[in-house]
Amino acid sequence: MQQFDALIIGFGKAGKTVAAGLAKKGWKVALVEKDEEMYGGTCINIACIPTKALVHDGLHGKPYQEAIERKNAVVEKLRGKNYASLAGLDEVTVFHATARFLSDKEVEIDRDGTKETVKAKHIFINTGAESIIPPIKGDVNAENVYTSTTLMETKELPERLAVVGAGPIGLEFASMYASFGSEVTLISPDDALLPDEDEEIASEVQKEMEAAGISFEFSVKAERIEKRENGSVRLSLSDGGQVTADAVLLATGRKPNTEGLGLENTGVQMDDHGAIKVNANLETAVEGIYALGDVKGGPQFTYISLDDSRIVMDALFKDGKRTRDSRSNVPYSIFIDPPLARVGLTARQAEAQGFAIMEGSLEIVAHPKAHVIDDLRGLFKAVVDKKTGHILGASLFGPSSPELINLIKMAMDLDVTYTFLRDQIYNHPVMTEAFNTLFDIEK
Ligand SMILES: Cc1cc2nc3c(=O)[nH]c(=O)nc-3n(C[C@H](O)[C@H](O)[C@H](O)COP(=O)(O)OP(=O)(O)OC[C@H]3O[C@@H](n4cnc5c(N)ncnc54)[C@H](O)[C@@H]3O)c2cc1C
């Protein structure tokens, strides 16, 4: 039996960051990853990086096959760098194996049937999440029915793509495949696009996606998939309608990856969604076992995983004051065309919470930089507390919004009033100067 100071299950964003941090402290670390193609985790191999490389190439006119090849090269390079950065450390042993708990302190690692037991005082679960396959009848396992992972492995662009699910992944893939030239139909159970976003922004998003050739089927569920003789598939919808496509993407969410982890042999507890229950410092019900990243539930973002690693390092080596509850104003972006970014509350949400508000609004067509880059699409909106002048939230649909949103997040964290962003001297012509106008609202 091998003994380590720390055992990390999953070479994901949180796991690899904790491994490097513990190694710096001189801890003897075992890092177990079941899939050699996943060194570095979901983000660099099958999620953020490959999708955004494809989004970029689609918008720059690269043919699909070439874009897939470039994406593969980028992923391979990053995977190699990630592996080397940890495997090259004396303190870290990387095991290519599947981990399964035998007890609170012992984990079996299985390398193609060769099993050994590893013991560690501290164990970190970072096993991520996996695509949910919805309960659709018929040929749901047909070769042209994909998840986000497998669709990006195809070398041929589907002529017609049906996307089931209109969350961030469904929207990004719809936009991306439309940019390569697929005819895309998006199927959503909601009665409108982006129900949690500002209504005016959501309708702008729909307008631009429709202008890109994407069709929408709202208030329906895909109920049956039928493979047809000519290789295409037919989706039957709950309202009796049908969509015929050459490929189907199932984008109906991702669930915590706990299956086969042997948690039943431990005191670790899970919630009703299969997420591992943790306290504010990310420790599970068992002392010394932590859960980080997607597997613990909550927002599924790489930067949340990174922050989880900081929380755990703080708990182990500092005062433990950095917690899950101290995270504030977490922004997010959806990389459609143009991109959408959001932080804090929409006007409707702020009013529902009892705030008296002021709203700033800027159509991108009125912004000089938009004319420089010849992209006049989009709308920026901001919500301000009338009483204090503090920014409550912003929804930015337009060029560079995933970068700009971080500035608004910082202003919110610093508790400055909206006039701080309004009165800044920004250089020119850039998108940031949009804040001079967006926040030009009278108190
Ligand atoms: C298509 C897509 C696009 C996305 N785009 C973005 C984006 O633009 N920005 C963003 O911030 N987030 C994005 N996300 C979300 C982001 O990728 C995840 O939130 C993040 O990667 C989760 O990281 P993690 O730390 O939980 O672990 P992960 O990176 O998921 O790593 C978990 C690892 O554990 C391994 N593992 C699982 N079980 C075992 C076991 N029993 N034994 C050994 N190893 C095991 C897995 O193989 C995997 O490598 C996207 C997700 C998807 C699917």
Side-chain angles (χ1 to χ4, degrees):
M1 184 187 303
Q2 295 202 55
Q3 172 94 39
F4 291 86
D5 297 318
L7 167 65
I8 299 171
I9 304 174
F11 199 142
K13 182 68 182 178
K16 68 189 175 191
T17 315
V18 168
L22 295 178
K24 253 194 199 158
K25 300 278 181 194
W27 286 31
K28 197 178 159 209
V29 179
L31 176 55
V32 187
E33 171 54 55
K34 69 176 178 183
D35 185 347
E36 279 176 306
E37 304 276 294
M38 287 292 283
Y39 288 134
T42 300
C43 176
I44 65 154
N45 289 293
I46 56 168
C48 334
I49 300 297
T51 53
K52 270 83 242 182
L54 289 174
V55 166
H56 173 275
D57 285 359
L59 295 176
H60 286 79
K62 207 183 259 278
Y64 182 67
Q65 207 171 333
E66 282 176 36
I68 291 286
E69 279 163 19
R70 189 183 83 82
K71 180 267 293 180
N72 290 343
V74 169
V75 166
E76 225 165 275
K77 190 168 160 188
L78 292 184
R79 186 190 301 143
K81 278 177 86 163
N82 269 263
Y83 179 75
S85 70
L86 287 178
L89 299 176
D90 289 342
E91 296 84 355
V92 179
T93 308
V94 179
F95 292 94
H96 170 215
T98 302
R100 192 175 73 91
F101 280 89
L102 299 175
S103 70
D104 284 345
K105 291 282 171 236
E106 290 174 324
V107 172
E108 176 188 82
I109 63 167
D110 181 344
R111 282 182 270 193
D112 287 332
T114 310
K115 295 178 183 175
E116 68 175 300
T117 304
V118 175
K119 242 182 135 175
K121 194 162 168 228
H122 294 88
I123 301 176
F124 304 87
I125 306 171
N126 181 225
T127 50
E130 58 182 347
S131 302
I132 293 171
I133 305 300
I136 300 177
K137 295 191 196 96
D139 300 322
V140 75
N141 294 319
E143 67 277 6
N144 45 358
V145 177
Y146 300 96
T147 63
S148 59
T149 306
T150 54
L151 185 57
M152 284 192 287
E153 288 164 4
T154 58
K155 294 202 169 65
E156 237 177 78
L157 182 71
E159 222 170 277
R160 293 162 300 177
L161 173 68
V163 178
V164 181
I169 294 176
L171 289 174
E172 276 183 17
F173 273 75
S175 177
M176 178 213 299
Y177 276 81
S179 76
F180 284 115
S182 293
E183 193 184 298
V184 178
T185 305
L186 212 139
I187 297 156
S188 168
D190 299 320
D191 58 5
L193 198 62
L194 295 164
D196 294 330
E197 301 299 331
D198 177 274
E199 275 169 35
E200 204 183 351
I201 294 267
S203 106
E204 281 296 305
V205 171
Q206 187 174 338
K207 189 183 90 190
E208 294 306 343
M209 291 187 87
E210 280 170 349
I214 297 164
S215 320
F216 293 91
E217 293 281 348
F218 288 118
S219 305
V220 285
K221 285 190 169 174
E223 289 195 328
R224 172 175 284 279
I225 297 180
E226 243 173 281
K227 194 154 171 43
R228 305 172 79 213
E229 267 172 26
N230 63 4
S232 67
V233 279
R234 182 179 283 155
L235 279 169
S236 304
L237 308 180
S238 51
D239 66 351
Q242 290 186 327
V243 173
T244 305
D246 304 296
V248 176
L249 169 65
L250 301 176
T252 49
R254 291 172 63 82
K255 61 175 185 201
N257 205 349
T258 48
E259 222 176 286
L261 205 50
L263 293 179
E264 64 283 3
N265 302 325
T266 71
V268 174
Q269 290 171 6
M270 287 183 279
D271 68 16
D272 295 343
H273 304 287
I276 295 180
K277 282 190 188 172
V278 289
N279 66 17
N281 299 102
L282 307 184
E283 198 166 21
T284 66
V286 177
E287 199 187 333
I289 302 185
Y290 295 82
L292 305 88
D294 289 357
V295 76
K296 65 164 200 326
Q300 297 176 345
F301 297 118
T302 295
Y303 43 96
I304 294 292
S305 291
L306 176 65
D307 198 52
D308 285 355
S309 72
R310 296 186 193 113
I311 290 171
V312 162
M313 292 301 283
D314 193 88
L316 290 173
F317 299 103
K318 292 186 189 159
D319 54 14
K321 284 196 178 137
R322 185 173 195 127
T323 69
R324 184 154 78 153
D325 303 331
S326 59
R327 283 202 263 262
S328 61
N329 305 315
V330 176
Y332 58 84
S333 300
I334 307 181
F335 292 80
I336 48 179
D337 175 37
L340 170 67
R342 162 84 186 281
V343 65
L345 303 174
T346 62
R348 198 179 25 174
Q349 291 165 344
E351 280 169 343
Q353 290 186 20
F355 287 100
I357 61 159
M358 302 184 296
E359 275 192 275
S361 179
L362 173 69
E363 286 184 26
I364 296 306
V365 65
H367 190 60
K369 177 70 191 241
H371 293 270
V372 173
I373 60 174
D374 198 15
D375 188 354
L376 308 179
R377 301 167 302 161
L379 174 70
F380 285 1
K381 289 184 86 172
V383 184
V384 169
D385 182 350
K386 203 167 188 173
K387 207 159 107 194
T388 64
H390 287 143
I391 302 162
L392 297 172
S395 304
L396 310 180
F397 176 51
S400 301
S401 61
E403 304 281 350
L404 296 174
I405 204 72
N406 294 315
L407 290 179
I408 299 188
K409 181 242 188 314
M410 274 192 248
M412 291 169 75
D413 285 351
L414 291 169
D415 260 351
V416 292
T417 64
Y418 71 101
T419 54
F420 180 80
L421 288 179
R422 182 193 67 190
D423 298 339
Q424 283 294 324
I425 298 172
Y426 302 107
N427 61 338
H428 170 81
V430 294
M431 283 310 294
T432 330
E433 18 159 25
F435 296 160
N436 287 148
T437 323
L438 177 64
F439 289 101
D440 190 12
I441 32 184
E442 274 317 307
K443 201 176 167 202

